[in-house]
Amino acid sequence: MERVKKVGIIGAGHVGSTLAYILSANTPYEIVLQDKDKDRARGMLLDMFQASCVGPKFTKLGVIADPKDLKGCDLIVIAAGSPRLPGMSRNDLLFANAKVISEICKDIKENSPEAILLLVTNPLDAMVYTALRETGFKHKQILGMAGVLDSARMASFIYEKLKCAPGQIVAPVMGGHGDDMVPLARFSSVNGVPLNELLSQEEIQEVIERTKNAGAEIVSCLKKGSAYFAPARATAEMVIAIMSDSRKILPSAVYLNGEYGYKDVVGGVPVELGINGVERIVELQLNQEEKAHFDRSIQSVEALINELKTNYFK
Ligand SMILES: NC(=O)c1ccc[n+]([C@@H]2O[C@H](COP(=O)([O-])OP(=O)(O)OC[C@H]3O[C@@H](n4cnc5c(N)ncnc54)[C@H](O)[C@@H]3O)[C@@H](O)[C@H]2O)c1
């Protein structure tokens, strides 16, 4: 019988606990949860286990009380750290969350050096870079979730305009997970029908602008905290794609080593996901305008990484 896969989730806040719940309800994986607030992790775990006992299917859930409990994890999601508040950009979290990632990476390096790491904490691309630097793990072993979420958001805004074709909209978003992310209208389609045959240029521009501001729109409604249902579901999609060795191509934040003309930086690009994490980076042929947007976006990530190199990494 195949060994049950073990998924660690560090950060049992809004995103981490919702992710744990989605995985517990939909997969056979053993799930272990950790939070610096140990009571919170325990409370979430009890509630989730009781939820799993409503039906006939039990889920194996545990709390990470000691870093040694990370041993044996096949994949670890890091969703620990502060979310942004109204008026804050994702980048305002840079140094505070880098410290959180560094602490967590030390424990992972000691106890689960073979695990795939999937980061959610913002500013996402810079946190993936921090994890690579602090663990020294292989590039293919560490990636970040943002593009799946941004693409779902773009699809939701296209659906609002079309009022049809639920589940058939593909709308890829590339670049860094920041204000200058790159929604790719030219590569968007509805079951093969190009987007520009269904919406006017003005409507497409509205979709693009709303996609870029989608996170901030929710932050301003919630007043405290940021979005978590769609982020958790997008993360679950990536966890399952990796753990099932699906070879799905999903936008993911990964280390670029010459791809798209960039080195030593992290950015969101289409990636084939499998049991080793990043199986292959797909290079799209961007036109001049798309490439210029992508360059701007990656340069913003480079600026954050340079901040970390100058003022944070020892
Ligand atoms: N990549 C994306 O697309 C995306 C989407 C949504 C949220 N996020 C980011 O995910 C992170 C979590 O968001 P949230 O809404 O769940 O926040 P939250 O405040 O609800 O939860 C964060 C949790 O992390 C815990 N924590 C802090 N430091 C820790 C440490 N050293 N070890 C273990 N746990 C620790 C806190 O106790 C808290 O429970 C934020 O940085 C947010 O910006 C990213």
Side-chain angles (χ1 to χ4, degrees):
M1 212 169 74
E2 210 196 326
R3 180 180 64 83
V4 173
K5 296 219 162 45
K6 180 172 170 183
V7 176
I9 300 174
I10 305 191
H14 288 87
V15 176
S17 60
T18 309
L19 169 67
Y21 184 67
I22 294 171
L23 292 177
S24 73
N26 296 291
T27 74
Y29 311 144
E30 175 184 353
I31 296 158
V32 287
L33 257 185
Q34 187 189 357
D35 199 281
K36 73 168 185 205
D37 178 347
K38 290 196 167 110
D39 288 341
R40 180 177 172 89
R42 174 137 187 84
M44 287 291 172
L45 174 115
L46 288 170
D47 191 14
M48 258 178 260
F49 182 63
Q50 288 156 17
S52 89
C53 292
V54 170
K57 181 179 160 285
F58 278 45
T59 306
K60 196 165 176 203
L61 291 150
V63 164
I64 301 174
D66 182 285
K68 286 195 177 58
D69 298 337
L70 286 166
K71 278 193 199 315
C73 280
D74 297 281
L75 184 149
I76 298 172
V77 175
I78 305 180
S82 309
R84 51 187 176 144
L85 299 171
M88 268 175 126
S89 85
R90 294 176 181 93
N91 299 352
D92 291 332
L93 304 166
L94 182 67
F95 292 109
N97 282 351
K99 194 161 172 282
V100 170
I101 300 302
S102 298
E103 285 166 16
I104 292 169
C105 283
K106 191 168 162 285
D107 290 340
I108 294 175
K109 199 176 165 184
E110 275 172 30
N111 296 289
S112 209
E114 303 299 325
I116 307 290
L117 301 195
L118 177 54
L119 279 98
V120 180
T121 306
N122 277 320
L124 194 260
D125 308 273
M127 295 304 104
V128 173
Y129 190 91
T130 303
L132 280 159
R133 172 114 181 196
E134 299 291 39
T135 57
F137 286 2
K138 296 187 259 316
H139 297 157
K140 65 178 179 185
Q141 213 178 328
I142 304 191
L143 63 172
M145 185 291 295
V148 178
L149 168 67
D150 295 329
S151 300
R153 286 173 167 167
M154 186 165 169
S156 79
F157 299 135
I158 293 170
Y159 175 75
E160 272 187 22
K161 293 215 179 283
L162 290 175
K163 303 270 186 294
C164 73
Q168 292 186 303
I169 302 168
V170 177
V173 178
M174 281 177 61
H177 184 51
D179 298 339
D180 43 20
M181 66 179 75
V182 190
L184 289 172
R186 192 168 65 92
F187 292 89
S188 301
S189 67
V190 181
N191 203 18
V193 182
L195 191 60
N196 64 9
E197 291 186 21
L198 297 165
L199 293 179
S200 68
Q201 278 315 307
E202 198 185 7
E203 287 171 314
I204 291 176
Q205 205 45 47
E206 282 167 17
V207 165
I208 288 174
E209 287 314 313
R210 198 150 172 223
T211 302
K212 290 184 189 173
N213 291 320
E217 186 179 346
I218 293 173
V219 168
S220 72
C221 293
L222 296 179
K223 312 222 167 38
K224 211 170 152 229
S226 57
Y228 56 96
F229 289 119
R233 185 140 177 207
T235 309
E237 169 85 356
M238 290 181 75
V239 171
I240 295 167
I242 295 166
M243 289 289 87
S244 63
D245 199 21
S246 71
R247 303 301 175 125
K248 274 189 180 176
I249 294 178
L250 294 177
S252 313
V254 294
Y255 186 85
L256 299 178
N257 194 18
E259 294 86 359
Y260 291 91
Y262 284 93
K263 269 186 180 236
D264 197 33
V265 67
V266 169
V269 293
V271 174
E272 181 185 329
L273 298 179
I275 200 68
N276 300 303
V278 178
E279 303 289 351
R280 180 170 66 112
I281 293 175
V282 179
E283 288 196 68
L284 289 175
Q285 294 303 313
L286 301 178
N287 66 25
Q288 222 176 0
E289 192 188 345
E290 290 156 353
K291 179 79 170 80
H293 284 171
F294 184 73
D295 288 345
R296 258 205 313 278
S297 185
I298 295 298
Q299 282 153 16
S300 301
V301 178
E302 280 179 327
L304 291 184
I305 291 173
N306 286 337
E307 277 274 322
L308 291 172
K309 283 181 178 168
T310 314
N311 297 310
Y312 181 73
F313 296 133
K314 292 178 186 113

